[in-house]
Amino acid sequence: MKVTGMRCGMCEAHICDVIRKLYPSAKAVHASHGHDRASFRIEGEIDQGELQKAVDDTGYRCESVSIEPYEKKGFFHRR
């Protein structure tokens, strides 16, 4: 997802905390203030509106959410 307003590592931590609180089963939670992005993996569906609202409520802005299927890669990214 595209998140604007992050300026430092603590900002990234706040976004990751929001994701983990909303989706406790989320894996590989990551945020980057340099790229204005956050990502995570989860089995099942997410409520995009709920996710955007949770991020917006922290003072950052969730510009967009994209959902892509996860494809596990083999050793050294080979299949």
Side-chain angles (χ1 to χ4, degrees), residues 30-56:
H30 177 76
S32 169
H33 70 278
H35 296 284
D36 288 337
R37 296 198 180 277
S39 62
F40 63 98
R41 290 192 328 250
I42 191 167
E43 290 185 27
E45 299 292 319
I46 66 166
D47 182 338
Q48 293 183 23
E50 182 180 45
L51 179 58
Q52 286 181 308
K53 182 180 181 329
V55 171
D56 289 349

Side-chain angles (χ1 to χ4, degrees):
M1 62 185 171
K2 181 166 177 62
V3 180
T4 57
M6 294 187 290
R7 299 286 180 242
C8 64
M10 279 306 294
C11 297
E12 294 170 352
H14 291 150
I15 296 299
C16 291
D17 289 346
V18 166
I19 293 168
R20 288 186 185 108
K21 184 176 180 184
L22 194 58
Y23 300 107
S25 63
K27 304 223 185 302
V29 180
H30 177 76
S32 169
H33 70 278
H35 296 284
D36 288 337
R37 296 198 180 277
S39 62
F40 63 98
R41 290 192 328 250
I42 191 167
E43 290 185 27
E45 299 292 319
I46 66 166
D47 182 338
Q48 293 183 23
E50 182 180 45
L51 179 58
Q52 286 181 308
K53 182 180 181 329
V55 171
D56 289 349
D57 287 349
T58 63
Y60 305 99
R61 175 118 170 97
C62 182
E63 299 286 332
S64 63
V65 175
S66 62
I67 299 172
E68 300 172 10
Y70 172 68
E71 184 177 315
K72 187 174 182 175
K73 297 178 180 166
F75 196 61
F76 294 112
H77 302 289
R78 295 181 189 156
R79 293 181 191 208

